[in-house]
C-alpha cells in the first residue's frame, strides 16, 4: 500500500483550488539569499500573488507546483 501525496492547495486567502504553480520567494531582510519560501497558486490567483511578492522585492521564481526544489518551504 502506498501513501497518497497531499493535495496542493492555493495559498490565496479563501481559495481551496488546486495549485498549479509554486511561487518561490524570500524576504532578504529575514532570510539568507539561498532560502526559498513557497506559496502555491491556482491559475486564477497566480498573477495576483506574483504581483504581491514582486512589489515587495520577494519573488525569486515561479515553477510548476510539482517541481518545488528540495529544501524549499
Amino acid at each position: 500500500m502506498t501513501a497518497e501525496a497531499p493535495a496542493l492547495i492555493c495559498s490565496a486567502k479563501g481559495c481551496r483550488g488546486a495549485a498549479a504553480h509554486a511561487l518561490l520567494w524570500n524576504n532578504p531582510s529575514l532570510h539568507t539569499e539561498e532560502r526559498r519560501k513557497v506559496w502555491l497558486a491556482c491559475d486564477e490567483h497566480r498573477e495576483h500573488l506574483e504581483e504581491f511578492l514582486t512589489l515587495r522585492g520577494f519573488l525569486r521564481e515561479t515553477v510548476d507546483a510539482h517541481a518545488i526544489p528540495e529544501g524549499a518551504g
Side-chain angles (χ1 to χ4, degrees), residues 2-61:
T2 60
E4 205 172 300
L8 299 176
I9 304 298
C10 182
S11 299
K13 185 176 182 177
C15 183
R16 301 302 298 156
H21 314 280
L23 286 59
L24 306 179
W25 64 278
N26 76 6
N27 179 339
S29 65
L30 299 176
H31 307 118
T32 61
E33 175 58 33
E34 58 278 346
R35 174 88 187 265
R36 292 296 179 263
K37 303 286 285 175
V38 179
W39 278 1
L40 297 172
C42 64
D43 287 333
E44 180 180 345
H45 292 111
R46 176 185 177 170
E47 186 176 332
H48 171 74
L49 293 173
E50 284 178 335
E51 183 177 312
F52 180 91
L53 292 169
T54 298
L55 287 172
R56 289 154 180 79
F58 296 172
L59 185 64
R60 300 299 173 244
E61 69 178 310

